[in-house]
Amino acid sequence: MHSPPHESAAKHVSGEAVYIDDIRADEQLLVGRVVYSPHAHAQIKSFDLSEAKKILGVHAVLCHKDIPGHNQMGPVVKDELCLAESELICVGQAMFVIAAETEDQCLEAERRIKVEYDLLEPILTIEKALERNSLLGPPRTMKRGDPDATIKSAPHVIKGELRTGAQEHWYLETQVCLCVPGEGKEINVYSSTQHPSETQTLIAELLGIGKNEVVVEVRRMGGAFGGKETQGNHTACWAALLCWHTKRPVKIRLFRDDDQKITGKRHRFLSHYEVGFDNEGRILAAKYQLNSDGGCATDLSFAIMERAMLHADNAYYAPNMEVVGRVCKTNLPSNTAFRGFGGPQGMAVAETVVDRIARHLKKDSAEIRRKNFYGLDSNNVTHYGEAVENNHLFIIYDQLVKSSDYWQRRNEINEFNAANEFYKKGLALTPVKFGISFTTTFLNQAGALVNVYKDGTILVNHGGTEMGQGLHTKMQQVAAAEFGVSLGRVKVNATNTSKIPNTSATAASAGTDLNGMAVKNAVDTLKSRIAETMSQVFTEKHPNPPTNKQDIAFQNDMIFDLMHPERKIAFADAMPLMQLRQVSLSATGYYKTPGIGWDKEKGWGRPFHYYAFGMCVSEVVVDVLTGRHTNLRTDILHDAGDSLNPLIDLGQVEGGYVQGVGWCTTEEIKWDDKGNLMTHSPDTYKIPSVQDIPKDFRVALLENVPNPNTIRRSKAVAEPPLMLALSTWLAMKDAVSAVANHEIEPEFSLPATNEVIVLSVEGLKKQMSGRDVEVLIKKE
Ligand code: MTE
Ligand code: HPA
Ligand code: MOS
């Protein structure tokens, strides 16, 4: 399939693409600001806004009492206040909002707000939360077989814990929303949100008005990565409240530092594992305990934990398995969706386990991985009962091991490590198997509205949002291909709740799968109407034999009779005819994923429509004295089905992998002992730069793998590639392990920052000198 450029590529480059902050607003526009809690846990004793309200240019200083409807913005569980009432539960929790004519006036007003607090003790770690049984809800378990008994009788057992860190989304466009009042109760909301329908719902509930008064529009986001699945709502609610009170347009755009302090991150996890395996390295039983830091409110934490539990197997079959998930409640901002949605945290445990099995048996980890892959005909059912169908693990493994010269490079690396004391190289291959579908089954639905105009141009509306991933481009391609017209005829509209109501978030990598089918459904309806009328038109001209509706084809911007190709008309010429003949050229489309469903209570069934597969081989070199590492080479082979747009998909694979490298290596989030985020700007929080991209980066899509029952046989791409970065993390562990000649296993957490590496090396050296002493003593 050919790859037209992203529909906004030229506008992105020229700067013409309109983001919220670029929307032209009139001179009435006010700047909004949110004033947030400086304490992780406190009681508001009293507050006084009177001095702040006196500042010239300030139009509103609001507290929770100024909310006309519900003081709530929790997306699933109603446990998130829009503005604090009495108890403060994290640094960054919104207390007041201000609207003024300038940013400076907002800041001046903020300084004049007086608040008195009673400080309370915060819970800031997973350990402390577990100790106090501070959970956001009851633990959940998924279980198959008898892991306890199997582990007892297993030839080998390993046990351990793994910490995986939080991650800041670092979308280029921070949270932003512009609200413009209409007449009466109407409010028009331009929000950077992955979930316009939820933004609409929360604003309606906050203001106590009908959803039919609230229109949310999203042209595009400047990146989201899950960070705007729910938390775009917050800025939108604050802006809407100010707009409601001032009756003027209000825009809130968070400063970068405020955005980092206020918004939730990827959940950090503290996980425990115990695994029994045989002499060949085959997993016999696995027991996992996953503990996440949910922060101060529920947000999507349970869906995220669920996905982590559903991915604690990654690509490996464990006949006996138990996963227990706990979501801790702490006094930090509520953590949220981030590309992979718990998958990376679960898979990091699985990958650690397989890596450790290999080290324990002194075998190459790629070999052990392959041995544990889900089988094609047997050993192919996951711990939650879904069969791994259309399993591409073996094809990908074989192709990638070959194309990356895995075994030869393994030997070269061994030689390099034998010859170098201060630089060590490491190599690792890791697979990804990622379930596609919202695990909350009803969310797997989408709508579309397609209009054809009299000049033959087509306007596509669908429920998905564009965040850079190329969804609109793919929808444009789908509509053009289904109508048999050139791409230039089709335009995709900004996402708008008045066009497509009651949508799901654009998330779970399912944007194309769901909306693509909905667009196709609408196009099918229109084609059927057009074909009906065209067959009549052709038959009127050539009654013998008549044209059948079923024989009408749409191709090359033409509509024609397949049986009598001379009976034809240009697509654009046919449309005025449709209007003359009173045919509606507007149709809605709808889709819900068929064949999925599962029992959340039992943790059993078929949550996913299908799996995405990918694999990655990474090589790194580590400076063992400083912990500095360089990504020398990465080879990726990823399964995107019949890709709708290979260039966009390659971009998703590369971007996802590099984002994962950030999580695995340099992105470290730290809070102080009072719950203040210490890493709240790019000078203290290190996202990947061009230096962190592998020097030699070879990315390919698997060929000839049409995906059954999806839009044009494509496969979701978006999230799965992030987890390919675990290969880089394990290559770093492999390099560190070489310090002790792979005889002692290093301690390793994620991210593997320079500090983690140096401490890990020091730990090995200590153990080695201990061993030397032991050897000496034995000799004596
Ligand atoms: N790609 C870009 N450029 N920007 C983003 O914000 N978000 C990711 C992924 N790729 C994101 C991205 C996440 S978290 C998801 S779930 C998907 O895109 C959502 O889009 P899709 O379902 O249409 O692929
Ligand atoms: N992925 C992303 N977002 C979600 C999901 C999911 O599985 N479930 C609910 N929101
Ligand atoms: Mo993506 S984390 O499902 O928005």
Side-chain angles (χ1 to χ4, degrees):
M1 182 118 184
H2 88 131
S3 294
H6 190 287
E7 42 80 36
S8 291
K11 295 191 206 99
H12 289 156
V13 177
S14 67
E16 287 164 288
V18 175
Y19 294 86
I20 308 283
D21 206 28
D22 304 318
I23 294 175
R24 272 179 225 181
D26 59 23
E27 67 289 347
Q28 293 266 304
L29 178 71
L30 299 175
V31 181
R33 179 163 172 80
V34 57
V35 179
Y36 53 84
S37 167
H39 301 296
H41 197 191
Q43 199 72 32
I44 298 180
K45 266 193 347 200
S46 66
F47 65 87
D48 180 357
L49 306 178
S50 57
E51 290 301 310
K53 287 178 179 171
K54 287 183 192 156
I55 304 293
L56 191 72
V58 169
H59 288 248
V61 184
L62 307 176
C63 69
H64 70 93
K65 292 176 200 152
D66 300 307
I67 293 171
H70 295 299
N71 182 14
Q72 252 313 314
M73 44 185 200
V76 184
V77 177
K78 297 294 162 195
D79 64 352
E80 269 181 281
L81 297 175
C82 177
L83 295 176
E85 292 180 356
S86 54
E87 191 188 2
L88 296 170
I89 52 176
C90 71
V91 173
Q93 183 184 357
M95 300 191 293
F96 314 106
V97 282
I98 303 171
E101 284 157 31
T102 68
E103 207 105 51
D104 284 346
Q105 291 162 349
C106 281
L107 291 170
E108 185 53 32
E110 180 172 357
R111 281 191 282 272
R112 304 281 178 99
I113 293 176
K114 291 192 203 93
V115 190
E116 282 189 285
Y117 307 93
D118 269 335
L119 297 193
L120 302 168
E121 193 202 346
I123 296 179
L124 298 169
T125 60
I126 293 178
E127 286 89 335
K128 193 157 170 190
L130 289 175
E131 198 184 292
R132 304 261 174 103
N133 202 28
S134 171
L135 302 180
L136 282 163
R140 275 183 68 181
T141 303
M142 292 178 195
K143 188 171 176 179
R144 166 171 68 191
D146 190 346
D148 284 306
T150 317
I151 286 174
K152 262 194 200 128
S153 62
H156 306 273
V157 176
I158 52 168
K159 255 175 116 157
E161 71 169 39
L162 176 71
R163 270 166 215 279
T164 53
Q167 187 178 20
E168 161 61 42
H169 301 83
W170 240 94
Y171 24 64
L172 282 181
E173 178 201 44
T174 54
Q175 304 282 0
V176 55
C177 180
L178 166 67
C179 291
V180 182
E183 62 175 36
K185 293 174 180 171
E186 287 171 8
I187 178 165
N188 294 302
V189 180
Y190 301 89
S191 167
S192 187
T193 174
Q194 287 172 252
H195 201 344
S197 286
E198 191 166 78
T199 307
Q200 176 198 26
T201 301
L202 290 172
I203 288 176
E205 289 171 0
L206 181 80
L207 301 180
I209 59 180
K211 285 196 214 175
N212 56 2
E213 304 279 6
V214 184
V215 176
V216 178
E217 179 161 313
V218 185
R219 173 76 263 182
R220 59 173 65 76
M221 285 162 271
F225 308 110
K228 296 170 182 173
E229 183 170 344
T230 59
Q231 301 205 357
N233 297 332
H234 302 179
T235 300
C237 284
W238 300 323
L241 185 64
L242 287 168
C243 174
W244 185 257
H245 277 271
T246 59
K247 307 236 177 304
R248 286 174 63 155
V250 176
K251 179 163 70 188
I252 300 184
R253 176 175 50 80
L254 297 186
F255 295 146
R256 175 66 62 184
D257 286 44
D258 287 336
D259 188 300
Q260 287 194 238
K261 287 181 194 168
I262 292 176
T263 62
K265 328 238 161 286
R266 182 188 295 288
H267 291 65
R268 54 178 171 172
F269 272 52
L270 171 57
S271 303
H272 303 276
Y273 55 85
E274 187 176 3
V275 177
F277 52 99
D278 66 15
N279 296 328
E280 295 292 299
R282 276 196 199 88
I283 298 170
L284 302 173
K287 283 186 71 178
Y288 298 131
Q289 281 191 35
L290 310 180
N291 303 297
S292 73
D293 180 354
C296 63
T298 307
D299 192 276
L300 296 171
S301 293
F302 286 98
I304 290 162
M305 176 51 79
E306 180 172 75
R307 189 170 278 275
M309 294 167 77
L310 293 169
H311 286 79
D313 57 339
N314 192 13
Y316 311 114
Y317 174 70
N320 300 279
M321 183 153 165
E322 182 183 72
V323 194
V324 180
R326 284 186 188 79
V327 181
C328 295
K329 182 177 183 181
T330 61
N331 293 107
L332 292 171
S334 185
N335 289 319
T336 193
F338 195 138
R339 199 172 193 166
F341 204 77
Q345 293 94 320
M347 279 155 69
V349 178
E351 288 306 327
T352 296
V353 162
V354 183
D355 183 81
R356 288 202 58 192
I357 293 175
R359 292 186 190 286
H360 185 93
L361 297 175
K362 306 253 181 289
K363 294 204 166 139
D364 189 90
S365 65
E367 201 182 299
I368 298 297
R369 289 194 158 82
R370 193 181 185 285
K371 263 195 196 135
N372 282 291
F373 282 165
Y374 279 105
L376 298 177
D377 306 309
S378 56
N379 296 351
N380 60 350
V381 177
T382 60
H383 58 292
Y384 48 89
E386 177 156 353
V388 182
E389 292 166 359
N390 303 302
N391 176 349
H392 295 151
L393 291 166
F394 296 95
I395 318 175
I396 298 179
Y397 181 92
D398 290 345
Q399 287 188 26
L400 189 65
V401 162
K402 205 165 153 210
S403 66
S404 67
D405 276 328
Y406 182 88
W407 295 110
Q408 193 192 325
R409 283 164 64 207
R410 171 60 78 203
N411 290 336
E412 286 166 10
I413 286 168
N414 287 344
E415 282 165 25
F416 176 94
N417 287 341
N420 287 276
E421 188 180 354
F422 299 125
Y423 287 96
K424 297 289 180 189
K425 286 187 179 179
L427 183 72
L429 173 152
T430 61
V432 165
K433 165 186 131 288
F434 192 83
I436 303 298
S437 287
F438 286 94
T439 56
T440 304
T441 305
F442 82 89
L443 294 174
N444 296 290
Q445 55 175 314
L449 168 66
V450 177
N451 297 340
V452 185
Y453 295 94
K454 256 196 324 183
D455 62 353
T457 60
I458 298 162
L459 187 64
V460 172
N461 295 274
H462 62 88
T465 54
E466 175 64 38
M467 55 196 94
Q469 86 278 39
L471 177 60
H472 284 352
T473 313
K474 289 181 173 179
M475 294 305 98
Q476 187 190 20
Q477 287 181 267
V478 166
E482 296 294 330
F483 264 129
V485 300
S486 44
L487 206 61
R489 229 174 247 299
V490 184
K491 183 183 159 77
V492 178
N493 230 11
T495 316
N496 188 302
T497 54
S498 69
K499 303 265 170 44
I500 317 290
N502 313 317
T503 52
S504 296
T506 307
S509 304
T512 298
D513 285 12
L514 300 174
N515 295 287
M517 282 296 203
V519 168
K520 180 180 185 304
N521 181 235
V523 172
D524 284 345
T525 303
L526 289 168
K527 278 166 68 180
S528 165
R529 288 182 203 153
I530 295 167
E532 170 91 46
T533 304
M534 279 319 304
S535 63
Q536 288 162 9
V537 173
F538 290 148
T539 305
E540 285 164 19
K541 269 200 189 157
H542 316 273
N544 267 322
T547 290
N548 290 320
K549 180 185 170 189
Q550 301 81 278
D551 295 332
I552 295 288
F554 294 75
Q555 244 176 50
N556 300 329
D557 285 289
M558 300 293 292
I559 303 172
F560 58 96
D561 180 344
L562 273 173
M563 298 297 140
H564 312 278
E566 70 288 354
R567 301 178 189 178
K568 62 178 182 191
I569 183 169
F571 183 85
D573 293 338
M575 295 308 121
L577 219 75
M578 295 299 134
Q579 204 199 15
L580 282 175
R581 299 210 170 208
Q582 297 175 300
V583 176
S584 164
L585 287 179
S586 175
T588 58
Y590 181 78
Y591 175 75
K592 55 181 178 179
T593 309
I596 51 170
W598 72 305
D599 185 333
K600 271 185 193 273
E601 291 297 311
K602 293 201 182 104
W604 197 259
R606 186 188 173 105
F608 302 120
H609 190 30
Y610 61 87
Y611 294 99
F613 300 98
M615 237 166 266
C616 184
V617 174
S618 293
E619 180 181 347
V620 302
V621 62
V622 169
D623 174 341
V624 300
L625 297 178
T626 64
R628 194 188 131 104
H629 83 278
T630 308
N631 297 326
L632 294 176
R633 175 169 164 186
T634 288
D635 293 60
I636 292 173
L637 186 55
H638 194 82
D639 172 11
D642 274 353
S643 171
L644 283 170
N645 189 316
L647 282 182
I648 283 180
D649 286 351
L650 283 172
Q652 284 290 296
V653 176
E654 291 172 359
Y657 163 81
V658 173
Q659 195 164 38
V661 165
W663 178 58
C664 287
T665 63
T666 58
E667 294 186 39
E668 188 181 29
I669 295 195
K670 285 195 169 176
W671 292 272
D672 69 12
D673 61 2
K674 297 202 163 54
N676 294 297
L677 180 68
M678 294 161 78
T679 46
H680 53 74
S681 72
D683 55 359
T684 46
Y685 184 69
K686 196 190 169 313
I687 59 170
S689 69
V690 68
Q691 303 275 5
D692 300 296
I693 294 169
K695 303 280 166 267
D696 186 354
F697 197 16
R698 308 184 191 194
V699 184
L701 300 178
L702 188 63
E703 289 181 4
N704 304 319
V705 279
N707 193 25
N709 306 319
T710 52
I711 184 70
R712 302 189 78 77
R713 311 202 142 230
S714 66
K715 197 173 248 200
V717 190
E719 293 171 284
L722 184 133
M723 288 145 272
L724 295 170
L726 290 168
S727 68
T728 301
W729 177 61
L730 288 173
M732 290 164 77
K733 182 177 174 188
D734 190 46
V736 171
S737 165
V739 170
N741 207 17
H742 303 294
E743 275 160 23
I744 311 170
E745 229 197 296
E747 287 277 324
F748 222 62
S749 55
L750 187 157
T753 56
N754 293 22
E755 192 180 343
V756 166
I757 290 173
V758 169
L759 290 173
S760 190
V761 168
E762 289 307 307
L764 286 182
K765 285 187 177 159
K766 262 195 205 124
Q767 286 192 56
M768 280 156 70
S769 61
R771 282 198 178 183
D772 291 347
V773 173
E774 267 174 42
V775 171
L776 281 177
I777 293 171
K778 271 188 197 153
K779 271 187 187 162
E780 279 170 11

